[in-house]
């Protein structure tokens, strides 16, 4: 009987580890809430699995209990990320994705993510406007047309695949998953500000460029 229970609990732990969030239809907030609920369920299942293993005599250091704990912590990280994403509107995501598209849409995931993060760093900085739209439309910075729905539609029509990659990059940055210092506030094809945090060279075979991500 104990062997059967062990197998059942381990199967539950494995299912918890592999479970993916079920996304609900609707706007960004609705989608994020659905993902958060899904990961809270995963946490509950992981807790139950750990408790069952403890009752069966397994120690806190056992691989089984540790596996359940790891699953719980991974779900907690997902919840935190979706809570951050939920703070942004559908328009925020659209404008940021469109900006990323026209700044780095046909390059690499790394460059797309870095461009998105610079915009968000500016939103968080007291030296720049405090919204995605205001940062993107600020005179002398990005192009104000990036905020227009027609510009987004043009990007989607030109390359839906690249645009979806830009949406992914925007959301990843909004979820706090892009590793970049908060004081990196400039992105261009030349160095500026107080110094270069990182320069990234890109060569597609038909065009090449170097993007500089710089400190204020």
């Amino acid at each position: 009987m104990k062997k059967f229970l062990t197998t059942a609990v381990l199967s539950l732990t494995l299912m918890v580890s592999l479970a993916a969030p079920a996304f609900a239809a609707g706007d960004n907030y609705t989608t994020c809430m659905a993902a958060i609920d899904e990961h809270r369920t995963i946490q509950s299942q992981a807790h139950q699995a750990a408790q069952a293993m403890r009752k069966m005599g397994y120690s806190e250091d056992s691989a089984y209990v540790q596996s359940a704990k790891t699953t719980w912590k991974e779900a907690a990280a997902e919840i935190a990320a979706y809570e951050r994403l939920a703070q942004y509107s559908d328009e925020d995501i659209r404008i940021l994705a469109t900006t990323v598209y026209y700044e780095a849409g046909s390059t690499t995931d790394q460059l797309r993510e870095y461009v998105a993060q610079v915009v968000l760093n500016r939103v968080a900085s007291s030296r720049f406007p405090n919204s995605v739209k205001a940062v993107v439309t600020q005179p002398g910075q990005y192009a104000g047309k990036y905020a227009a729905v027609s510009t987004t539609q043009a990007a989607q029509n030109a390359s839906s695949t690249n645009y979806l990659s830009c949406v992914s990059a925007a959301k990843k940055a909004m979820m706090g998953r892009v590793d970049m210092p908060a004081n990196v506030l400039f992105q261009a094809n030349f160095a500026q500000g107080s110094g270069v945090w990182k320069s990234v060279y890109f060569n597609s075979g038909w065009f090449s460029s170097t993007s500089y991500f710089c400190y204020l």
Side-chain angles (χ1 to χ4, degrees):
M1 181 65 177
K2 183 175 181 179
K3 182 177 180 181
F4 172 77
L5 288 174
T6 301
T7 302
V9 172
L10 290 180
S11 296
L12 173 60
T13 302
L14 180 60
M15 289 172 62
V16 166
S17 299
L18 296 178
F23 295 113
D27 61 14
N28 178 59
Y29 182 82
T30 301
T31 298
C32 289
M33 291 303 102
I36 288 169
D37 286 346
E38 190 76 18
H39 282 97
R40 283 177 178 158
T41 297
I42 290 172
Q43 283 188 313
S44 177
Q45 291 172 340
H47 176 71
Q48 291 173 21
Q51 288 291 80
M53 300 308 293
R54 293 183 184 107
K55 288 180 181 179
M56 292 168 59
Y58 288 96
S59 70
E60 291 299 307
D61 295 331
S62 71
Y64 306 134
V65 175
Q66 288 300 313
S67 176
K69 284 185 173 182
T70 297
T71 297
W72 192 95
K73 290 177 181 177
E74 289 174 347
E78 290 294 309
I79 290 170
Y82 279 105
E83 286 176 339
R84 286 190 287 269
L85 180 59
Q87 297 175 32
Y88 295 95
S89 67
D90 290 351
E91 183 181 55
D92 290 332
I93 295 171
R94 179 188 65 77
I95 293 173
L96 184 55
T98 302
T99 301
V100 172
Y101 178 88
Y102 285 102
E103 294 288 322
S106 58
T107 59
T108 65
D109 287 341
Q110 180 191 47
L111 279 168
R112 287 188 283 262
E113 290 163 12
Y114 282 177
V115 170
Q117 190 61 52
V118 168
V119 174
L120 296 184
N121 281 357
R122 288 189 174 199
V123 173
S125 172
S126 62
R127 295 175 180 268
F128 292 90
N130 61 359
S131 73
V132 172
K133 183 176 183 179
V135 163
V136 169
T137 59
Q138 184 180 20
Q141 300 302 313
Y142 297 93
K145 68 177 183 179
Y146 291 169
V149 173
S150 59
T151 304
T152 301
Q153 292 173 337
Q156 293 171 327
N157 293 338
S159 176
S160 59
T161 299
N162 279 349
Y163 182 77
L164 288 175
S165 295
C166 295
V167 172
S168 296
K171 288 184 176 181
K172 184 172 180 179
M174 289 170 162
M175 295 172 90
R177 289 174 167 168
V178 177
D179 184 18
M180 176 186 286
N183 60 337
V184 175
L185 298 169
F186 297 109
Q187 166 258 317
N189 59 359
F190 55 89
Q192 57 185 307
S194 63
V196 177
W197 169 65
K198 189 174 292 187
S199 62
V200 183
Y201 176 73
F202 173 75
N203 189 335
S204 68
W206 58 276
F207 85 93
S208 62
S209 66
T210 300
S211 296
Y212 295 87
F213 297 88
C214 304
Y215 300 106
L216 178 66

